[in-house]
Amino acid sequence: MIVAVMRIPARTRFHLVAPACDTRLTLENAERSLTKVPHMVLFGFFALLTAAQFNRLDRRALYWSFAATALLGLVIELEEGATRTGNCRITDVLPDIVGALAVLLPAAALIVSIRAWRANPGS
C-alpha cells in the first residue's frame, strides 16, 4: 500500500505544491465522477481486501474497511492536486465510495443472514 500511495508523488520526484482542488459539490462534477467504473471496481476490491484483514468479518470490520477506502480515495485526490498530475475533485471520491458500498453492503447482508440462520437453524 505504501508503494501505491507514494507512486503519484514519485512521478514528480516529490515536487509538491499546495493542492488546487475543485471542492464544488455540483451535480455536473458528481455525474462526471460516477462514470469512472475502473475506480469503482478497484476501490471495491480494496474494500474487500481490507475487510479480509480482520479476524472476524463483522460490522466493525466493514465500517473500518469503508473508512479506509474513503480515506485512501481522499489521499489520492489530494496527491493528484499536490503534484498537478490529475484532476483533484472532491467528487472523485464518490466512485471510490460507491465501489466500497457495492462490495460491503452485500457482505453485510450475508453476515446478517448467516447470523439469523445460526440463531434459528431450523427456520
Side-chain angles (χ1 to χ4, degrees), residues 58-120:
D58 57 3
R59 183 183 316 153
R60 183 177 155 266
L62 297 179
Y63 285 151
W64 279 108
S65 298
F66 178 77
T69 304
L71 183 64
L72 178 64
L74 187 60
V75 166
I76 288 173
E77 290 306 315
L78 290 174
E79 283 181 340
E80 287 179 350
T83 59
R84 307 282 163 99
T85 58
N87 298 321
C88 180
R89 284 191 298 262
I90 198 71
T91 54
D92 281 353
V93 178
L94 283 176
D96 311 339
I97 290 172
V98 169
L101 288 176
V103 170
L104 297 176
L105 287 178
L110 184 63
I111 291 168
V112 168
S113 62
I114 288 172
R115 285 190 180 161
W117 179 76
R118 285 183 181 168
N120 300 317

Side-chain angles (χ1 to χ4, degrees), residues 37 54 74:
V37 176
F54 288 87
L74 187 60

Side-chain angles (χ1 to χ4, degrees), residues 16-61:
L16 305 176
V17 295
C21 296
D22 184 358
T23 58
R24 295 175 299 142
L25 298 175
T26 64
L27 191 57
E28 180 184 341
N29 279 352
E31 287 173 346
R32 187 178 312 136
S33 295
L34 290 175
T35 62
K36 297 182 175 187
V37 176
H39 278 246
M40 292 179 204
V41 172
L42 291 172
F43 278 88
F45 189 63
F46 174 76
L48 186 64
L49 289 178
T50 304
Q53 300 303 310
F54 288 87
N55 291 333
R56 291 182 47 204
L57 190 59
D58 57 3
R59 183 183 316 153
R60 183 177 155 266

